[in-house]
Amino acid sequence: MPSVDTQARIERRRVIARILITGGAGFIGSHLCERFLADGDEVVCLDNLITGDMDNVAHLFVNPRFSFVHQDVTNYIYVSGHIDAILHFASPASPIDYLELPIQTLKVGSLGTHKGLGLARVKAARFLLASTSEVYGDPLVHPQPEDYWGNVNPIGPRGVYDEAKRFAEALTMAYHRSHGVATRIVRIFNTYGPRMRLGDGRVVPNFITQALRGEALTVYGDGSQTRSFCFVDDLVEGIVRLLRSDCVHPVNLGNPHELSVREFAETIIRLTGSASPIAFEPLPVDDPKVRQPDVSAARQILAWEPRIALEDGLSKTIAYFQERLEVR
Ligand code: UDP
């Protein structure tokens, strides 16, 4: 169990906590690094840079409380000194990434989570797992509450991500029950914002870059499938609250504002002022038909609510992609 002192270090914001973030050079990881540094904490960013990017954290190196470790979390990880909390965010996270990297995806969810939990145990650190709405698969319950067990195809192409995260949740709970590690599990729904990778194939970077370039927006299927998009700053606030809470059970974080992919394409066309048409392409295998988080638990336990409206978050994201496309 973490010592009383460790718990206090995380909760009392006047004292610097030392936070390890695996996948810290990724999209969400880099925003977490920034947030903890802004809160006055010390951040150790660990990444193997398979899908992460040094550009995401380059601006943080001027801060003496920031350090970077180039390591693969699926191997033995060594970090010197004390650690108060480990946030395990390393993983390919977009469908095309995990289709291209199926074995690495399974390894980082299983072996990587094991290494992170082992480190948390020896350091008496709190451990927070980045899980996903994909644990619900193609859901038969809508919206999805945390006590829904999901509808996942274990042998389909998406199964490598879904099952890795489900295993990671099981292992995290086992370390909590067997070894008393103070664990937290966040189930992250579709999140967007600056630092999403241009070519990661997810709907947000695809549609924005297509619209900015005047290319057709590639809507998969008939575009009637739904998603609910949360701006990254809202997500980060929820994660920080969860880390500081005493909630061991998984908590959904996402924005319940649900819309169809077709409506989303039309929104992007409007906000970018683009003349791009829409082109319909085949729906990927096992693509969930609906997705919307039930965030009652986050509201109740964390007093958390997403605050950033879709259009405001998208405007910031479009500005980011515009800048990236101009410097290319
Ligand atoms: N999608 C699409 N066009 C694209 C990329 C994605 O229509 O160019 C669809 C995809 O089929 C899915 C939704 O947008 O229904 C969200 O896809 P994404 O890859 O962002 O994440 P997912 O929610 O499926 O994990």
Side-chain angles (χ1 to χ4, degrees):
M1 287 287 272
S3 64
V4 171
D5 185 47
T6 303
Q7 305 266 358
R9 286 176 73 88
I10 296 168
E11 277 145 24
R12 270 200 330 248
R13 307 314 301 156
R14 290 180 303 281
V15 179
I16 294 177
R18 191 161 186 255
I19 316 276
L20 174 71
I21 303 174
T22 77
F27 162 48
I28 297 174
S30 66
H31 284 275
L32 285 168
C33 290
E34 225 166 40
R35 167 62 190 262
F36 285 109
L37 289 172
D39 282 358
D41 294 319
E42 196 178 322
V43 170
V44 181
C45 167
L46 191 146
D47 208 298
N48 67 356
L49 300 175
I50 287 191
T51 57
D53 189 337
M54 286 304 276
D55 282 355
N56 289 338
V57 289
H59 62 294
L60 302 178
F61 279 88
V62 292
N63 192 325
R65 286 180 282 107
F66 179 77
S67 59
F68 179 80
V69 184
H70 189 191
Q71 265 183 39
D72 183 340
V73 73
T74 63
N75 297 320
Y76 181 77
I77 45 175
Y78 175 75
V79 179
S80 63
H82 80 276
I83 301 174
D84 299 302
I86 299 173
L87 285 80
H88 183 38
F89 277 69
S91 179
S94 85
I96 65 159
D97 282 345
Y98 49 78
L99 295 188
E100 269 170 31
L101 304 164
I103 296 167
Q104 287 93 331
T105 302
L106 282 160
K107 282 174 72 178
V108 75
S110 54
L111 305 179
T113 304
H114 187 219
K115 296 290 184 290
L117 282 162
L119 190 66
R121 188 179 175 203
V122 296
K123 301 280 188 185
R126 196 169 286 196
F127 179 89
L128 184 144
L129 173 70
S131 185
T132 168
S133 55
E134 283 280 326
V135 300
Y136 304 121
D138 189 3
L140 304 176
V141 170
H142 190 69
Q144 295 79 56
E146 288 86 353
D147 58 8
Y148 175 50
W149 291 349
N151 176 40
V152 172
N153 173 4
I155 57 164
R158 285 178 96 101
V160 296
Y161 185 65
D162 304 7
E163 295 296 6
K165 291 291 189 182
R166 288 167 68 96
F167 176 88
E169 288 197 5
L171 192 62
T172 299
M173 291 308 295
Y175 262 70
H176 173 70
R177 293 190 184 110
S178 301
H179 296 311
V181 174
T183 57
R184 310 284 180 267
I185 298 174
V186 54
R187 292 188 180 148
I188 300 171
F189 284 64
N190 293 66
T191 301
Y192 71 97
R195 303 204 198 108
M196 292 190 95
R197 214 173 73 237
L198 278 176
D200 90 355
R202 280 188 277 192
V203 72
V204 175
N206 272 13
F207 284 1
I208 294 178
T209 52
Q210 288 160 347
L212 291 175
R213 288 176 171 147
E215 296 164 0
L217 274 67
T218 52
V219 168
Y220 301 157
D222 63 4
S224 63
Q225 72 273 30
T226 67
R227 294 294 186 273
S228 312
F229 298 95
C230 183
F231 190 63
V232 64
D233 291 0
D234 277 334
L235 178 80
V236 163
E237 178 60 34
I239 291 169
V240 170
R241 287 182 190 213
L242 176 62
L243 179 70
R244 292 174 189 163
S245 78
D246 57 7
C247 180
V248 170
H249 282 281
V251 175
N252 289 338
L253 288 179
N255 192 320
H257 176 76
E258 181 184 13
L259 72 174
S260 73
V261 167
R262 171 134 200 180
E263 285 170 322
F264 189 62
E266 284 157 3
T267 305
I268 299 286
I269 289 172
R270 184 165 48 79
L271 293 179
T272 52
S274 171
S276 291
I278 287 176
F280 292 93
E281 293 193 359
L283 193 66
V285 177
D286 294 334
D287 197 283
K289 284 179 271 310
V290 289
R291 184 180 289 154
Q292 186 195 18
D294 178 335
V295 291
S296 315
R299 280 197 185 108
Q300 204 187 327
I301 301 164
L302 310 177
W304 176 86
E305 190 83 49
R307 307 232 167 258
I308 297 149
L310 184 65
E311 300 208 353
D312 296 337
L314 280 178
S315 298
K316 292 182 187 174
T317 313
I318 290 166
Y320 169 81
F321 279 104
Q322 190 126 38
E323 204 176 298
R324 296 286 299 193
L325 290 171
E326 274 161 16
V327 297
R328 286 186 137 221

